[in-house]
Coordinates of all heavy atoms in Angstrom, one line a residue:
M28 N 93.0 113.5 114.2 CA 92.4 112.2 114.5 C 92.6 111.3 113.3 O 92.9 111.7 112.3 CB 90.9 112.5 114.9 CG 90.0 112.6 113.4 SD 88.2 113.0 113.9 CE 87.8 111.7 115.1
L29 N 92.5 110.0 113.6 CA 92.5 108.9 112.5 C 91.1 108.3 112.5 O 90.6 108.0 113.6 CB 93.5 108.0 112.8 CG 95.0 108.3 112.8 CD1 95.8 107.1 113.2 CD2 95.5 108.7 111.4
V30 N 90.6 108.1 111.3 CA 89.4 107.4 111.3 C 89.5 106.3 110.1 O 90.0 106.6 109.0 CB 88.1 108.3 110.8 CG1 87.0 107.4 110.4 CG2 87.8 109.2 111.9
A31 N 89.4 105.0 110.6 CA 89.4 103.9 109.7 C 88.1 103.6 109.4 O 87.1 103.4 110.3 CB 90.2 102.7 110.5
F32 N 87.7 103.4 108.2 CA 86.2 103.0 107.7 C 86.3 102.1 106.6 O 87.2 102.1 105.7 CB 85.5 104.3 107.5 CG 85.8 105.0 106.2 CD1 84.9 104.8 105.2 CD2 86.7 105.7 106.0 CE1 85.0 105.4 103.9 CE2 87.0 106.4 104.7 CZ 86.1 106.3 103.8
S33 N 85.2 101.4 106.6 CA 84.8 100.5 105.5 C 83.6 100.7 104.9 O 82.5 100.7 105.9 CB 85.0 99.1 105.9 OG 84.6 98.2 104.9
V34 N 83.2 100.9 103.7 CA 81.9 101.3 103.2 C 81.6 100.3 102.0 O 82.5 100.2 101.3 CB 81.7 102.8 102.9 CG1 82.6 103.3 101.8 CG2 80.2 103.0 102.5
A35 N 80.5 99.8 102.1 CA 80.2 98.8 100.8 C 78.7 98.7 100.7 O 77.9 98.8 101.7 CB 80.8 97.5 101.1
P36 N 78.3 98.6 99.5 CA 76.7 98.4 99.2 C 76.4 97.0 99.3 O 77.2 96.1 99.4 CB 76.6 98.8 97.8 CG 77.9 98.3 97.2 CD 79.0 98.6 98.2
S37 N 75.2 96.7 99.6 CA 74.6 95.4 99.5 C 73.3 95.6 98.6 O 72.8 96.6 98.3 CB 74.1 94.9 100.8 OG 73.1 95.7 101.6
G38 N 72.8 94.4 98.2 CA 71.7 94.4 97.2 C 72.2 95.0 95.8 O 71.5 95.7 95.2
T39 N 73.3 94.5 95.5 CA 73.9 95.0 94.3 C 73.4 94.3 93.0 O 73.6 94.9 91.8 CB 75.5 94.9 94.2 OG1 75.8 93.5 94.3 CG2 76.2 95.6 95.3
G40 N 72.9 93.2 93.2 CA 72.4 92.4 92.0 C 73.5 91.6 91.3 O 73.3 91.0 90.3
R41 N 74.8 91.7 91.7 CA 75.9 91.1 91.0 C 75.9 89.7 91.5 O 76.0 89.3 92.6 CB 77.1 91.8 91.3 CG 77.3 93.2 90.7 CD 78.6 93.8 91.0 NE 79.7 92.9 90.4 CZ 80.7 93.5 89.7 NH1 80.9 94.7 89.5 NH2 81.7 92.6 89.3
A42 N 76.0 88.7 90.5 CA 76.1 87.4 90.7 C 77.3 87.0 91.5 O 77.3 86.1 92.4 CB 76.0 86.6 89.5
D43 N 78.4 87.7 91.3 CA 79.6 87.3 92.0 C 79.8 88.1 93.3 O 80.8 87.8 94.1 CB 80.8 87.8 91.2 CG 81.2 89.2 90.8 OD1 80.2 90.0 91.2 OD2 82.1 89.6 90.1
G44 N 78.9 88.9 93.7 CA 78.9 89.6 95.0 C 80.0 90.6 95.1 O 80.2 91.2 96.2
S45 N 80.7 91.0 94.0 CA 81.8 91.9 94.1 C 81.2 93.3 94.3 O 80.3 93.7 93.9 CB 82.6 91.9 92.9 OG 83.6 92.8 92.9
V46 N 82.2 94.1 95.2 CA 81.7 95.5 95.5 C 82.9 96.4 95.0 O 83.0 97.5 95.4 CB 81.4 95.6 96.9 CG1 80.2 95.0 97.2 CG2 82.5 95.3 97.8
H47 N 83.9 95.9 94.2 CA 85.1 96.6 94.0 C 84.8 98.1 93.2 O 85.5 99.0 93.5 CB 86.2 95.8 93.3 CG 85.7 95.4 91.9 ND1 85.2 94.2 91.6 CD2 85.9 96.0 90.7 CE1 84.9 94.1 90.3 NE2 85.4 95.1 89.7
D48 N 83.9 98.0 92.4 CA 83.5 99.3 91.7 C 83.1 100.3 92.7 O 83.5 101.5 92.6 CB 82.5 99.1 90.5 CG 83.1 98.2 89.5 OD1 84.3 98.3 89.1 OD2 82.1 97.5 88.8
A49 N 82.2 99.9 93.6 CA 81.7 100.9 94.6 C 82.8 101.3 95.6 O 82.9 102.4 95.8 CB 80.5 100.2 95.4
V50 N 83.6 100.3 95.9 CA 84.7 100.7 96.9 C 85.7 101.6 96.1 O 86.1 102.6 96.7 CB 85.5 99.4 97.3 CG1 86.8 99.8 98.2 CG2 84.5 98.6 98.3
A51 N 86.0 101.5 94.8 CA 86.8 102.4 94.0 C 86.2 103.7 94.1 O 87.0 104.7 94.2 CB 87.0 101.8 92.7
A52 N 84.9 103.9 93.9 CA 84.3 105.3 94.0 C 84.4 105.9 95.3 O 84.8 107.1 95.3 CB 82.8 105.1 93.7
A53 N 84.3 105.1 96.4 CA 84.6 105.7 97.7 C 86.1 106.2 97.9 O 86.4 107.2 98.4 CB 84.1 104.7 98.8
V54 N 87.0 105.3 97.4 CA 88.4 105.5 97.6 C 88.8 106.8 96.8 O 89.6 107.6 97.2 CB 89.2 104.3 97.3 CG1 90.7 104.6 97.3 CG2 89.0 103.2 98.4
K55 N 88.2 106.9 95.7 CA 88.4 108.0 94.8 C 88.2 109.3 95.6 O 88.9 110.4 95.6 CB 87.8 108.1 93.5 CG 88.1 109.3 92.7 CD 87.7 109.1 91.2 CE 88.0 110.2 90.3 NZ 88.9 111.2 90.7
V56 N 87.0 109.4 96.2 CA 86.6 110.5 97.1 C 87.7 110.9 98.2 O 88.1 111.9 98.4 CB 85.3 110.3 97.7 CG1 85.0 111.4 98.8 CG2 84.2 110.3 96.7
V57 N 88.2 109.7 98.8 CA 89.1 109.8 99.8 C 90.4 110.4 99.2 O 91.0 111.4 99.8 CB 89.4 108.5 100.6 CG1 90.6 108.7 101.6 CG2 88.2 108.1 101.2
R58 N 91.0 109.9 98.2 CA 92.2 110.4 97.6 C 92.1 111.7 97.0 O 93.1 112.5 97.1 CB 92.6 109.4 96.5 CG 93.0 108.0 97.1 CD 93.6 107.2 96.1 NE 94.0 105.8 96.8 CZ 94.4 104.8 96.3 NH1 94.5 104.9 94.9 NH2 94.8 103.6 96.9
D59 N 90.9 112.1 96.5 CA 90.8 113.5 96.0 C 90.6 114.5 97.1 O 90.8 115.6 96.8 CB 89.5 113.5 95.0 CG 89.7 112.8 93.8 OD1 90.9 112.6 93.4 OD2 88.7 112.6 93.1
S60 N 90.4 114.1 98.2 CA 90.2 115.0 99.5 C 91.6 115.7 99.7 O 91.4 116.8 100.4 CB 89.7 114.3 100.6 OG 90.8 113.5 101.3
G61 N 92.7 115.1 99.4 CA 93.9 115.8 100.0 C 94.3 115.3 101.3 O 95.5 115.8 101.7
L62 N 93.6 114.7 102.0 CA 94.0 114.3 103.4 C 94.8 113.2 103.4 O 94.7 112.2 102.5 CB 92.7 114.0 104.1 CG 91.7 115.2 104.5 CD1 90.5 114.6 105.3 CD2 92.4 116.2 105.2
P63 N 95.7 113.0 104.4 CA 96.6 111.9 104.3 C 95.6 110.6 104.5 O 94.7 110.6 105.4 CB 97.4 112.1 105.7 CG 97.4 113.5 106.0 CD 96.1 114.0 105.4
N64 N 95.9 109.6 103.7 CA 95.1 108.4 103.8 C 95.8 107.2 103.4 O 96.9 107.2 102.8 CB 93.9 108.5 102.9 CG 94.3 108.7 101.3 OD1 94.3 107.6 100.7 ND2 94.4 109.9 101.0
R65 N 95.4 106.0 103.8 CA 95.9 104.6 103.3 C 94.8 103.7 103.1 O 93.9 103.7 104.1 CB 97.0 104.2 104.4 CG 97.6 102.8 104.2 CD 98.6 102.5 105.2 NE 99.8 103.3 105.0 CZ 100.4 103.9 105.9 NH1 100.1 103.7 107.1 NH2 101.5 104.7 105.7
T66 N 94.8 103.0 102.1 CA 93.8 102.0 102.0 C 94.5 100.6 101.9 O 95.5 100.4 101.3 CB 93.1 102.2 100.6 OG1 92.4 103.4 100.6 CG2 92.1 101.1 100.4
D67 N 93.9 99.6 102.6 CA 94.3 98.2 102.6 C 93.2 97.3 102.2 O 92.1 97.9 101.8 CB 94.9 97.8 103.9 CG 94.1 97.9 105.2 OD1 92.9 97.6 105.1 OD2 94.5 98.2 106.3
S68 N 93.2 96.0 102.3 CA 92.2 95.2 102.0 C 90.9 95.3 102.7 O 89.9 94.8 102.2 CB 92.7 93.7 101.9 OG 93.2 93.4 103.2
M69 N 91.0 95.9 104.0 CA 89.8 95.8 104.7 C 89.3 97.3 105.0 O 88.1 97.4 105.1 CB 90.1 95.2 106.0 CG 90.3 93.8 105.9 SD 88.9 92.8 105.5 CE 87.9 92.9 106.9
F70 N 90.2 98.2 105.1 CA 89.7 99.6 105.6 C 90.5 100.7 104.8 O 91.6 100.4 104.4 CB 90.0 99.8 107.1 CG 89.2 99.0 108.0 CD1 89.4 97.8 108.5 CD2 87.8 99.6 108.4 CE1 88.5 97.1 109.3 CE2 87.0 98.8 109.2 CZ 87.4 97.7 109.6
T71 N 89.9 101.8 104.9 CA 90.7 103.1 104.4 C 90.8 103.9 105.7 O 89.8 104.1 106.4 CB 89.9 103.8 103.3 OG1 89.9 103.1 102.3 CG2 90.5 105.1 103.0
T72 N 92.0 104.4 105.9 CA 92.2 105.3 107.1 C 92.6 106.7 106.5 O 93.3 106.8 105.7 CB 93.4 104.8 108.0 OG1 93.1 103.4 108.3 CG2 93.6 105.6 109.3
I73 N 91.9 107.7 107.3 CA 92.1 109.0 106.9 C 92.6 109.8 108.2 O 92.2 109.5 109.3 CB 90.8 109.7 106.5 CG1 90.1 108.9 105.4 CG2 91.1 111.1 105.9 CD1 88.7 109.4 105.1
E74 N 93.4 110.8 108.0 CA 94.0 111.7 109.0 C 93.5 113.1 108.9 O 93.7 113.6 107.7 CB 95.4 111.5 109.2 CG 95.9 112.3 110.5 CD 97.4 112.0 110.8 OE1 98.1 111.6 110.0 OE2 97.8 112.3 111.8
G75 N 93.0 113.7 109.9 CA 92.6 115.1 109.8 C 91.9 115.6 110.9 O 91.7 114.9 112.0
E76 N 91.3 116.8 110.9 CA 90.4 117.3 111.9 C 89.0 116.7 111.8 O 88.7 116.3 110.7 CB 90.3 118.7 111.8 CG 91.6 119.5 112.0 CD 92.2 119.3 113.4 OE1 91.5 119.2 114.3 OE2 93.4 119.0 113.4
W77 N 88.3 116.7 113.0 CA 87.0 116.0 112.9 C 86.1 116.3 111.8 O 85.6 115.4 111.0 CB 86.3 116.5 114.4 CG 85.0 115.8 114.6 CD1 83.8 116.0 114.0 CD2 84.9 114.6 115.5 NE1 82.9 115.1 114.5 CE2 83.4 114.3 115.5 CE3 85.7 113.9 116.2 CZ2 83.0 113.3 116.1 CZ3 85.2 112.9 117.0 CH2 83.9 112.6 117.0
D78 N 85.8 117.6 111.6 CA 84.9 118.0 110.5 C 85.2 117.5 109.2 O 84.5 117.1 108.2 CB 84.6 119.5 110.5 CG 83.8 119.9 111.8 OD1 83.1 119.0 112.4 OD2 83.8 121.1 112.1
E79 N 86.6 117.7 108.9 CA 87.0 117.4 107.5 C 87.0 115.9 107.2 O 86.7 115.5 106.2 CB 88.4 118.0 107.2 CG 89.5 117.7 108.1 CD 90.8 118.5 107.8 OE1 90.8 119.3 107.1 OE2 91.8 118.1 108.5
V80 N 87.4 115.2 108.3 CA 87.5 113.7 108.2 C 86.1 113.2 107.9 O 85.8 112.4 107.0 CB 88.2 113.0 109.3 CG1 87.9 111.5 109.3 CG2 89.7 113.3 109.3
F81 N 85.2 113.6 108.7 CA 83.8 113.1 108.6 C 83.0 113.5 107.4 O 82.1 112.8 106.8 CB 82.9 113.3 109.9 CG 83.2 112.3 110.9 CD1 84.3 112.4 111.9 CD2 82.7 111.0 110.9 CE1 84.7 111.5 112.8 CE2 83.0 110.0 111.8 CZ 84.0 110.3 112.7
D82 N 83.4 114.7 106.9 CA 82.9 115.2 105.6 C 83.3 114.1 104.4 O 82.6 113.8 103.6 CB 83.3 116.6 105.3 CG 82.9 117.0 104.0 OD1 81.6 117.0 103.7 OD2 83.8 117.2 103.0
V83 N 84.6 113.8 104.5 CA 85.0 112.8 103.4 C 84.4 111.4 103.6 O 84.0 110.9 102.6 CB 86.6 112.6 103.6 CG1 87.1 111.6 102.6 CG2 87.4 114.0 103.3
V84 N 84.3 111.0 104.8 CA 83.5 109.8 105.1 C 82.1 109.8 104.6 O 81.6 108.9 103.8 CB 83.4 109.4 106.5 CG1 82.6 108.2 106.8 CG2 85.0 109.0 107.0
R85 N 81.4 110.9 104.8 CA 80.0 111.1 104.3 C 80.0 111.1 102.8 O 79.2 110.3 102.1 CB 79.5 112.4 104.8 CG 78.1 112.8 104.3 CD 77.5 114.0 104.6 NE 78.5 115.2 104.2 CZ 78.5 115.7 103.0 NH1 77.9 115.2 102.0 NH2 79.4 116.6 102.7
R86 N 80.9 111.9 102.1 CA 80.9 111.8 100.7 C 81.4 110.5 100.1 O 80.8 110.1 99.0 CB 81.8 112.9 100.2 CG 81.3 114.4 100.5 CD 82.1 115.6 99.9 NE 83.4 115.7 100.6 CZ 84.6 115.6 100.0 NH1 84.7 115.2 98.6 NH2 85.6 115.8 100.6
A87 N 82.2 109.9 100.8 CA 82.7 108.5 100.2 C 81.4 107.5 100.3 O 81.2 106.8 99.5 CB 83.7 107.9 101.0
T88 N 80.7 107.6 101.5 CA 79.5 106.7 101.6 C 78.4 107.2 100.5 O 77.8 106.3 99.9 CB 78.8 107.0 103.0 OG1 79.9 106.7 103.9 CG2 77.6 106.2 103.3
E89 N 78.2 108.4 100.2 CA 77.3 108.8 99.2 C 77.7 108.4 97.9 O 76.9 108.0 97.0 CB 77.2 110.4 99.1 CG 76.4 110.8 100.4 CD 76.5 112.5 100.5 OE1 77.3 113.1 99.8 OE2 75.8 113.0 101.4
A90 N 79.1 108.2 97.6 CA 79.6 107.7 96.3 C 79.2 106.2 96.0 O 79.1 105.8 95.0 CB 81.1 107.9 96.3
V91 N 79.0 105.5 97.2 CA 78.8 104.1 97.1 C 77.2 103.9 96.9 O 76.8 102.8 96.3 CB 79.2 103.4 98.5 CG1 78.6 102.0 98.5 CG2 80.6 103.4 98.6
A92 N 76.5 104.8 97.2 CA 74.9 104.6 97.1 C 74.4 104.2 95.7 O 73.6 103.3 95.8 CB 74.3 106.0 97.6
P93 N 74.9 104.6 94.7 CA 74.4 104.2 93.4 C 74.5 102.7 93.1 O 74.0 102.2 92.3 CB 75.0 105.1 92.4 CG 75.5 106.2 93.1 CD 75.9 105.7 94.4
F94 N 75.4 102.0 93.9 CA 75.7 100.6 93.5 C 74.9 99.6 94.2 O 75.1 98.5 94.0 CB 77.3 100.4 93.9 CG 78.2 101.3 93.1 CD1 78.6 102.5 93.4 CD2 78.7 100.7 91.9 CE1 79.5 103.3 92.6 CE2 79.5 101.4 91.0 CZ 80.0 102.8 91.4
G95 N 74.1 100.0 95.0 CA 73.2 99.0 95.7 C 72.0 99.7 96.5 O 71.8 100.8 96.5
S96 N 71.3 98.8 97.0 CA 70.0 99.2 97.6 C 70.2 99.6 99.1 O 69.4 100.2 99.7 CB 68.8 98.2 97.5 OG 69.3 97.0 98.1
R97 N 71.3 99.2 99.7 CA 71.7 99.4 101.0 C 73.1 99.7 101.1 O 73.9 99.3 100.3 CB 71.3 98.3 102.1 CG 70.0 98.0 102.1 CD 69.7 96.8 103.1 NE 69.6 97.2 104.4 CZ 69.2 96.6 105.4 NH1 68.8 95.2 105.2 NH2 69.1 97.0 106.7
I98 N 73.6 100.4 102.3 CA 75.0 100.7 102.4 C 75.4 100.3 103.9 O 74.7 100.5 104.8 CB 75.3 102.2 102.3 CG1 74.9 102.7 100.9 CG2 76.7 102.5 102.5 CD1 74.9 104.2 100.8
S99 N 76.5 99.6 103.9 CA 77.2 99.2 105.3 C 78.3 100.1 105.5 O 79.1 100.3 104.6 CB 77.5 97.8 105.2 OG 78.2 97.4 106.5
L100 N 78.3 100.8 106.7 CA 79.5 101.5 107.0 C 80.0 101.3 108.4 O 79.2 101.2 109.4 CB 79.0 103.1 107.1 CG 80.0 104.1 107.5 CD1 81.3 104.2 106.7 CD2 79.4 105.5 107.7
V101 N 81.4 100.9 108.5 CA 82.0 100.5 109.8 C 83.1 101.5 109.9 O 83.7 101.9 109.1 CB 82.6 99.1 109.6 CG1 83.4 98.8 110.9 CG2 81.6 98.1 109.3
L102 N 83.0 102.2 111.2 CA 84.0 103.3 111.6 C 84.8 102.9 112.8 O 84.2 102.3 113.7 CB 83.3 104.6 111.9 CG 82.6 105.2 110.7 CD1 81.6 106.3 111.3 CD2 83.7 106.0 109.9
K103 N 86.1 103.3 112.9 CA 86.8 103.3 114.1 C 87.7 104.6 114.2 O 88.2 104.9 113.2 CB 87.7 102.0 114.3 CG 88.5 101.9 115.5 CD 89.3 100.7 115.5 CE 90.0 100.8 116.9 NZ 90.7 99.5 117.2
A104 N 87.6 105.2 115.3 CA 88.3 106.5 115.3 C 89.4 106.5 116.5 O 89.1 105.9 117.5 CB 87.4 107.7 115.5
D105 N 90.5 107.2 116.3 CA 91.5 107.4 117.3 C 91.5 108.9 117.4 O 92.2 109.6 116.5 CB 92.8 106.8 116.8 CG 93.9 107.0 118.0 OD1 93.6 107.6 119.0 OD2 95.0 106.7 117.6
I106 N 91.0 109.4 118.5 CA 90.9 110.9 118.6 C 91.9 111.2 119.7 O 91.8 110.9 120.9 CB 89.4 111.4 119.1 CG1 88.4 110.8 118.1 CG2 89.4 112.8 119.3 CD1 87.1 110.7 118.6
R107 N 92.9 111.9 119.1 CA 94.1 112.4 120.1 C 94.5 113.8 119.7 O 95.4 114.1 118.9 CB 95.3 111.5 119.7 CG 96.3 111.4 120.8 CD 97.3 110.3 120.6 NE 98.4 110.3 121.7 CZ 99.5 109.8 121.6 NH1 99.8 109.1 120.5 NH2 100.4 109.9 122.5
P108 N 93.8 114.7 120.4 CA 94.1 116.1 120.1 C 95.6 116.4 120.3 O 96.3 116.0 121.1 CB 93.3 116.8 121.2 CG 92.1 115.8 121.5 CD 92.9 114.5 121.4
G109 N 96.1 117.4 119.4 CA 97.4 117.8 119.4 C 98.3 117.0 118.7 O 99.6 117.2 118.6
H110 N 98.0 115.8 118.1 CA 98.9 115.0 117.5 C 98.6 114.9 116.0 O 97.4 114.8 115.5 CB 98.8 113.6 118.0 CG 99.3 113.5 119.4 ND1 100.6 113.1 119.7 CD2 98.9 113.7 120.7 CE1 100.8 113.1 120.9 NE2 99.7 113.5 121.6
T111 N 99.5 115.1 115.1 CA 99.4 114.9 113.7 C 100.6 113.9 113.1 O 101.4 113.6 113.9 CB 99.6 116.2 112.9 OG1 100.8 116.8 113.2 CG2 98.6 117.3 113.3
G112 N 100.3 113.5 112.0 CA 101.3 112.5 111.4 C 101.3 111.1 111.9 O 102.2 110.4 111.8
E113 N 100.0 110.8 112.6 CA 100.0 109.5 113.3 C 99.7 108.4 112.2 O 99.8 107.3 112.6 CB 99.0 109.5 114.3 CG 99.3 110.5 115.4 CD 100.5 109.8 116.1 OE1 100.3 108.9 117.0 OE2 101.6 110.4 116.0
L114 N 99.3 108.8 111.1 CA 99.0 107.7 110.0 C 100.4 106.9 109.8 O 100.2 105.7 109.7 CB 98.6 108.4 108.7 CG 98.0 107.5 107.7 CD1 96.8 106.7 108.1 CD2 97.8 108.2 106.3
T115 N 101.4 107.5 109.8 CA 102.8 106.9 109.7 C 103.4 106.8 111.1 O 104.2 105.8 111.4 CB 103.6 107.5 108.7 OG1 103.8 108.9 109.1 CG2 103.0 107.4 107.4
G116 N 103.2 107.8 111.9 CA 104.0 107.8 113.2 C 103.6 106.4 114.0 O 104.6 106.0 114.7
K117 N 102.4 106.0 114.0 CA 102.1 104.8 114.9 C 102.8 103.6 114.4 O 103.4 102.8 115.1 CB 100.6 104.5 114.9 CG 99.8 105.5 115.7 CD 98.3 105.1 115.5 CE 97.7 105.3 116.9 NZ 96.4 104.6 117.0
L118 N 103.0 103.5 113.0 CA 103.6 102.3 112.4 C 105.1 102.6 112.7 O 105.7 101.5 112.9 CB 103.3 102.4 110.9 CG 101.9 102.0 110.4 CD1 101.7 102.2 109.1 CD2 101.5 100.6 111.1
D119 N 105.6 103.7 112.6 CA 107.1 103.9 112.9 C 107.4 103.4 114.3 O 108.4 102.7 114.6 CB 107.5 105.4 112.7 CG 107.5 105.8 111.3 OD1 107.3 105.0 110.4 OD2 107.4 107.1 111.0
R120 N 106.5 103.8 115.3 CA 106.8 103.3 116.7 C 106.7 101.9 116.8 O 107.5 101.3 117.6 CB 106.0 104.1 117.6 CG 106.1 105.7 117.7 CD 105.6 106.4 118.7 NE 104.1 106.4 118.6 CZ 103.4 107.3 117.9 NH1 104.1 108.2 117.1 NH2 102.1 107.1 117.7
L121 N 105.8 101.3 116.1 CA 105.6 99.8 116.2 C 106.8 99.1 115.7 O 107.4 98.1 116.2 CB 104.4 99.4 115.4 CG 104.2 97.8 115.3 CD1 104.0 97.2 116.5 CD2 102.9 97.6 114.3
E122 N 107.3 99.5 114.5 CA 108.5 99.0 113.8 C 109.7 99.0 114.8 O 110.5 98.1 115.0 CB 108.8 99.6 112.5 CG 107.8 99.1 111.4 CD 107.7 97.6 111.2 OE1 108.7 96.9 111.3 OE2 106.6 97.2 110.8
Q123 N 109.8 100.3 115.5 CA 111.0 100.5 116.3 C 110.8 99.5 117.5 O 111.8 98.8 117.9 CB 110.9 101.8 117.0 CG 112.1 102.2 117.8 CD 113.5 102.0 117.2 OE1 113.8 102.4 116.0 NE2 114.4 101.2 117.8
A124 N 109.5 99.3 118.0 CA 109.4 98.4 119.2 C 109.8 97.0 118.8 O 110.3 96.3 119.6 CB 108.0 98.4 119.7
L125 N 109.4 96.6 117.6 CA 109.8 95.3 117.0 C 111.2 95.1 117.0 O 111.9 94.0 117.3 CB 109.0 95.0 115.7 CG 107.5 94.7 115.9 CD1 106.8 94.8 114.5 CD2 107.1 93.5 116.5
S126 N 111.9 96.0 116.4 CA 113.4 95.9 116.3 C 114.1 95.9 117.6 O 115.1 95.3 117.7 CB 113.9 97.0 115.4 OG 113.9 98.3 116.0
D127 N 113.5 96.5 118.6 CA 114.0 96.6 120.0 C 113.9 95.1 120.6 O 114.7 94.7 121.4 CB 113.3 97.6 120.8 CG 113.7 99.0 120.5 OD1 114.7 99.2 119.6 OD2 112.9 99.9 121.0
L128 N 113.0 94.3 120.1 CA 112.8 92.9 120.6 C 113.9 92.0 120.1 O 114.0 90.9 120.6 CB 111.4 92.4 120.3 CG 110.3 93.1 120.9 CD1 108.9 92.6 120.4 CD2 110.3 93.1 122.5
D129 N 114.5 92.4 119.0 CA 115.6 91.6 118.4 C 116.9 91.5 119.1 O 117.3 92.3 119.9 CB 115.8 91.9 116.9 CG 114.6 91.6 116.1 OD1 114.0 90.7 116.5 OD2 114.5 92.3 115.0

Protein backbone atom coordinates (compact mmCIF):
# COMPACT_ATOMS: atom_id res chain seq x y z
CA MET A 1 0.00 0.00 0.00
CA LEU A 2 0.96 3.62 -0.48
CA VAL A 3 0.08 6.19 2.16
CA ALA A 4 0.57 9.89 1.50
CA PHE A 5 0.36 12.00 4.60
CA SER A 6 0.94 15.48 5.87
CA VAL A 7 1.38 16.21 9.55
CA ALA A 8 1.92 19.62 11.12
CA PRO A 9 1.43 21.29 14.47
CA SER A 10 -0.66 24.35 15.17
CA GLY A 11 -0.41 26.61 18.16
CA THR A 12 3.36 26.76 17.72
CA GLY A 13 3.71 30.29 19.00
CA ARG A 14 6.08 31.15 16.15
CA ALA A 15 5.55 34.61 14.71
CA ASP A 16 6.38 33.42 11.19
CA GLY A 17 4.02 30.42 11.39
CA SER A 18 6.76 28.10 10.15
CA VAL A 19 6.47 24.38 10.90
CA HIS A 20 9.65 23.20 9.17
CA ASP A 21 11.32 21.99 12.38
CA ALA A 22 8.30 19.85 13.25
CA VAL A 23 8.03 18.51 9.70
CA ALA A 24 11.74 17.65 9.76
CA ALA A 25 11.19 15.61 12.94
CA ALA A 26 8.37 13.70 11.23
CA VAL A 27 10.35 13.11 8.02
CA LYS A 28 13.31 11.81 10.04
CA VAL A 29 11.04 9.14 11.54
CA VAL A 30 9.93 8.16 8.04
CA ARG A 31 13.44 8.01 6.62
CA ASP A 32 14.76 6.08 9.61
CA SER A 33 11.98 3.50 9.15
CA GLY A 34 13.69 1.94 6.13
CA LEU A 35 10.42 1.86 4.16
CA PRO A 36 10.45 3.25 0.62
CA ASN A 37 9.40 6.89 0.85
CA ARG A 38 9.34 10.20 -0.96
CA THR A 39 8.78 13.69 0.43
CA ASP A 40 7.64 16.66 -1.64
CA SER A 41 6.48 20.14 -0.67
CA MET A 42 3.03 18.94 0.43
CA PHE A 43 3.14 15.25 1.43
CA THR A 44 5.34 12.35 2.40
CA THR A 45 4.45 9.04 0.76
CA ILE A 46 5.42 5.70 2.28
CA GLU A 47 5.13 2.23 0.78
CA GLY A 48 4.71 -0.96 2.79
CA GLU A 49 2.28 -3.23 4.55
CA TRP A 50 -0.67 -1.81 6.48
CA ASP A 51 0.70 -2.27 10.01
CA GLU A 52 4.23 -1.05 9.26
CA VAL A 53 3.09 2.02 7.31
CA PHE A 54 0.59 3.13 9.93
CA ASP A 55 3.12 2.55 12.70
CA VAL A 56 5.46 4.98 10.94
CA VAL A 57 2.64 7.52 10.47
CA ARG A 58 1.80 7.23 14.18
CA ARG A 59 5.42 7.73 15.23
CA ALA A 60 5.86 10.66 12.82
CA THR A 61 2.75 12.26 14.28
CA GLU A 62 4.08 11.75 17.80
CA ALA A 63 7.37 13.40 16.75
CA VAL A 64 5.44 16.56 15.84
CA ALA A 65 3.59 16.77 19.16
CA PRO A 66 6.26 18.72 21.09
CA PHE A 67 6.11 21.56 18.54
CA GLY A 68 2.57 22.78 19.17
CA SER A 69 -0.62 22.46 21.13
CA ARG A 70 -2.50 20.65 18.32
CA ILE A 71 -1.62 18.37 15.41
CA SER A 72 -3.22 18.22 11.97
CA LEU A 73 -2.90 14.93 10.09
CA VAL A 74 -4.08 14.38 6.51
CA LEU A 75 -3.92 10.89 4.96
CA LYS A 76 -4.59 9.36 1.57
CA ALA A 77 -4.07 5.65 0.96
CA ASP A 78 -3.83 3.50 -2.16
CA ILE A 79 -4.49 -0.06 -1.01
CA ARG A 80 -3.64 -2.53 -3.76
CA PRO A 81 -2.88 -6.02 -2.44
CA GLY A 82 -0.19 -7.95 -4.24
CA HIS A 83 1.57 -4.90 -5.70
CA THR A 84 4.93 -3.55 -4.60
CA GLY A 85 7.26 -0.96 -6.07
CA GLU A 86 4.36 1.37 -6.76
CA LEU A 87 6.12 4.41 -5.28
CA THR A 88 8.06 4.59 -8.53
CA GLY A 89 6.00 2.22 -10.69
CA LYS A 90 3.03 4.58 -10.91
CA LEU A 91 5.30 7.42 -12.02
CA ASP A 92 7.06 5.21 -14.57
CA ARG A 93 3.70 4.29 -16.13
CA LEU A 94 2.64 7.95 -16.18
CA GLU A 95 5.85 9.02 -17.91
CA GLN A 96 5.42 6.23 -20.48
CA ALA A 97 1.81 7.33 -21.13
CA LEU A 98 2.99 10.92 -21.60
CA SER A 99 5.73 9.88 -24.04
CA ASP A 100 3.15 7.83 -25.98
CA LEU A 101 1.19 11.05 -26.53
CA ASP A 102 4.11 12.64 -28.40
